[in-house]
Amino acid sequence: MILSEVEIPRLDAAIRARGYALEIGAATCDPAPHVAAILCRWRTGQTIVTGSVPRIALTINSATLIAALDAGVCDAVTVPVDPDELAARVDARVRRHAASAVIVGPLTLDPVARTATRSGTMIALVPREYALLRYLAERPGRFVSRGELLEQVWKLRFDPGTNVVAVQISNLRAKLDRPFATAMIEGRKGLGYRLIAG
């Protein structure tokens, strides 16, 4: 098994030395046979990075390494691998991932993967919903008018005279707010919509 080639206690110590904690979890990468995606969630302080965490694959040779990268992992290494090198790769990837993420309270948007998670739960969004949510998330707490959303998200410089914004906001609320105890999208007549920390 691939994981038998990794010294888990040494890897755990190396991860902890960088301020994270190793948590064992599911470890498969279906599109690439004979590949184990690194089986961790990364914890630093009280923050747990979940959902679209960058995956680092462990592979047995260069052919499966290429297959793993093609399958969407952020990085891949062949085994056996030095635990300190793997910990350094984890640190670099998590820092890069965290720097690019858009975070509003319990909501995290990954602009690279175009995914959204709320409190660690993945929110399945179609491209327009994601674009709308990202636009609001990049302006947290600020009301954004219908006209601004039409221009910036739909790229329309005229009012089509439809309720397309209200429909998409309703769809977004159904996915982002209704499954949770508190709402993050607030609408106010005459002002528009805003995203709050929830």
Side-chain angles (χ1 to χ4, degrees):
M1 183 179 175
I2 290 172
L3 294 176
S4 65
E5 301 288 339
V6 179
E7 297 178 57
I8 297 297
R10 275 192 60 204
L11 176 60
D12 184 52
I15 291 281
R16 287 178 186 278
R18 291 179 176 271
Y20 302 97
L22 185 65
E23 296 184 1
I24 306 301
T28 59
C29 184
D30 293 336
H34 310 298
V35 171
I38 196 151
L39 59 170
C40 313
R41 288 189 291 172
W42 319 110
R43 185 193 305 266
T44 174
Q46 296 303 310
T47 302
I48 303 176
V49 184
T50 57
S52 54
V53 172
R55 294 181 300 155
I56 301 175
L58 308 176
T59 74
I60 57 175
N61 55 43
S62 60
T64 53
L65 184 145
I66 292 167
L69 292 170
D70 286 343
V73 298
C74 294
D75 197 359
V77 294
T78 55
V79 293
V81 62
D82 182 280
D84 291 318
E85 176 191 341
L86 196 50
R89 287 176 180 269
V90 165
D91 193 17
R93 290 295 172 179
V94 171
R95 281 186 285 110
R96 185 176 304 169
H97 177 77
S100 68
V102 179
I103 301 171
V104 180
L107 176 70
T108 300
L109 299 183
D110 183 339
V112 177
R114 297 181 65 80
T115 57
T117 59
R118 179 171 176 180
S119 302
T121 301
M122 187 71 73
I123 309 295
L125 301 174
V126 299
R128 183 75 72 189
E129 291 167 348
Y130 177 84
L132 176 58
L133 181 58
R134 181 174 174 180
Y135 193 81
L136 293 173
E138 289 175 339
R139 294 150 187 82
R142 176 169 84 79
F143 281 102
V144 180
S145 71
R146 176 178 174 276
E148 183 178 342
L149 290 173
L150 284 170
E151 183 174 341
Q152 298 299 322
V153 178
W154 277 264
K155 307 303 181 191
L156 294 176
R157 300 198 182 279
F158 63 93
D159 189 335
T162 67
N163 64 345
V164 63
V165 174
V167 168
Q168 287 293 342
I169 289 287
S170 178
N171 293 341
L172 200 49
R173 281 177 166 156
K175 296 178 179 182
L176 182 69
D177 287 346
R178 291 184 193 135
F180 299 92
T182 58
M184 291 190 70
I185 298 176
E186 179 185 353
R188 190 169 298 175
K189 190 172 182 180
L191 293 177
Y193 304 94
R194 69 175 178 175
L195 191 70
I196 55 178

